[in-house]
Amino acid sequence: MAQTITIIIAAYNAESSIERALRSALDQTCRPNVIVVDDASTDNTARRIGSLLHDEPRGTLLRQNINQGPSAARNRAIEAAKTDWIAIIDADDAMVPDRLERLLAMAEANAWDAIADDQYRISSWAPDAPRRRLWSDSDIGQIELSLARFVRENIMEYAGFGRELGFIKPLIKRDFLSKNDLRYDADMRLGEDYDLYARMLLHGAKFGLVDPCGYLAFDTPGSLSRTHRSEALEKLVRSDQRLLRHTATPQNTKPIIIEHMRHTQKKAAWAKLGEAYHERNPLKAASSFIAPWDVVTDLTSRAVALAGQKLKKPKMM
């Protein structure tokens, strides 16, 4: 099992958390290789990584000349990896030591091309900090995901706020990515995980989901509720449009993809209208209403409700 896995960490301005993430990767019982890509950090992240990997034969530091986002950073690491499997971990997260060994055993037993465990979400790294499961509050055993189910569980109304399956961090068979010419979409900085996993399933990946094995995801305060730029959301819409156009997409899966796309379009239109308001850009505001009718209806009702709230707000004396 030695060096069967390469762990990939994309890091940007992560000097406060990278040691924890990197040590948890190197401490895995399966003794993986680790590739860290510094995405042109402006703090001491690269220097910190270099110090941690000094005289560590299983560790490699790659540096980007300009910041290109996590997709491009991960793609570079995938190209550099030589092992049978790759695993993704964020630079502010960590894993318990036997996580990957357990996942690999289940993946090989089920002949899966990818496997992910339900994460534990934590708001503090204190030893007694409470843990909350990402997706399911009860045990799920072993599930093999379909494209339809995966997309559905990325719609907040079904999965719950901040509980979308796009957050999972799988162990992936590298050869499957290579044979199907699959990589992260380097143009996406939002939903890039959702996009890759959906395309893997579209290409026939056997993708397992199991109960928590020890991925600890840190919830940055307010991170799940922050407002995304309309451009990033529009790129996620285009991801669904690509799925809908693909000849391999089953007809009975298209309605749930359209539903996911409509939810994203509503978010994008609302974000665009808000940006236009702050930029005092009437043309941009008008363009936010160039959308499918249900998106326009949702945008109009939200704008009217917000205007009503502002009118009711008492003026300061």
Side-chain angles (χ1 to χ4, degrees):
M1 192 180 295
Q3 299 182 355
T4 301
I5 300 171
T6 295
I7 299 174
I8 292 171
I9 306 175
Y12 176 69
N13 288 354
E15 62 178 342
S16 64
S17 62
I18 191 61
E19 179 174 359
R20 178 176 55 239
L22 185 48
R23 289 196 184 282
S24 80
L26 291 169
D27 288 345
Q28 290 294 298
T29 54
C30 59
R31 294 191 56 76
N33 291 334
V34 181
I35 299 176
V36 188
V37 182
D38 175 67
D39 196 18
S41 296
T42 58
D43 63 1
N44 291 318
T45 297
R47 186 179 299 109
R48 189 76 181 124
I49 296 167
S51 175
L52 292 166
L53 292 182
H54 183 66
D55 293 332
E56 173 51 71
R58 292 185 290 120
T60 301
L61 168 63
L62 302 177
R63 301 186 69 174
Q64 304 280 68
N65 292 326
I66 59 173
N67 179 266
Q68 300 177 57
S71 293
R74 290 171 182 164
N75 285 344
R76 185 177 176 190
I78 292 171
E79 295 298 331
K82 305 300 180 185
T83 52
D84 296 333
W85 297 81
I86 60 167
I88 308 298
I89 174 176
D90 286 344
D92 55 352
D93 294 340
M95 300 179 288
V96 301
D98 66 345
R99 174 184 180 250
L100 292 182
E101 185 173 355
R102 293 172 63 191
L103 289 180
L104 181 59
M106 285 185 279
E108 292 180 336
N110 290 282
W112 284 335
D113 300 300
I115 180 174
D117 53 336
D118 200 358
Q119 299 175 0
Y120 284 123
R121 311 303 296 253
I122 60 175
S123 57
S124 168
W125 288 103
D128 59 347
R131 297 180 178 184
R132 178 178 69 86
R133 286 176 62 151
L134 166 69
W135 182 61
S136 174
D137 292 323
S138 57
D139 288 345
I140 59 173
Q142 297 184 1
I143 296 172
E144 189 168 317
L145 292 171
S146 65
L147 176 59
R149 184 167 191 180
F150 174 72
V151 174
R152 183 183 188 276
E153 295 305 326
N154 278 280
I155 300 173
M156 186 179 67
E157 283 70 13
Y158 298 122
F161 179 71
R163 308 193 77 171
E164 296 92 328
L165 273 186
F167 290 112
I168 57 177
K169 294 294 184 288
L171 177 67
I172 303 170
K173 191 175 290 185
R174 190 172 62 89
D175 188 54
F176 181 87
L177 297 179
S178 298
K179 285 182 177 178
N180 292 284
D181 195 25
L182 293 172
R183 293 293 186 269
Y184 287 93
D185 185 336
D187 198 38
M188 296 180 70
R189 294 186 181 229
L190 171 69
E192 70 279 357
D193 297 303
Y194 164 83
D195 173 73
L196 177 62
Y197 307 158
R199 287 186 289 120
M200 287 173 59
L201 289 162
L202 184 63
H203 282 79
K206 296 184 66 178
F207 200 133
L209 180 67
V210 299
D211 287 307
C213 291
Y215 189 101
L216 308 177
F218 182 62
D219 280 335
T220 303
S223 63
L224 293 177
S225 60
R226 67 178 182 270
T227 300
H228 296 290
R229 295 287 299 178
S230 60
E231 293 88 349
L233 290 160
E234 286 165 356
K235 290 175 182 177
L236 186 53
V237 170
R238 289 196 286 273
S239 170
D240 280 332
Q241 291 171 337
R242 287 195 297 266
L243 292 176
L244 291 169
R245 289 194 302 267
H246 202 286
T247 56
T249 303
Q251 288 297 322
N252 60 4
T253 300
K254 290 184 177 181
I256 196 66
I257 297 174
I258 292 171
E259 186 173 353
H260 181 270
M261 182 176 67
R262 286 289 184 265
H263 282 278
T264 309
Q265 287 174 314
K266 290 175 183 178
K267 293 177 185 177
W270 181 245
K272 193 172 188 179
L273 186 61
E275 291 160 10
Y277 174 80
H278 290 293
E279 296 166 9
R280 288 174 165 73
N281 186 335
L283 290 177
K284 187 172 184 177
S287 69
S288 65
F289 287 87
I290 302 175
W293 179 247
D294 54 344
V295 176
V296 172
T297 301
D298 177 79
L299 180 61
T300 303
S301 64
R302 293 177 69 173
V304 169
L306 181 61
Q309 291 174 7
K310 289 187 174 181
L311 287 173
K312 291 179 181 179
K313 187 176 180 180
K315 295 182 178 180
M316 298 295 292
M317 298 299 292

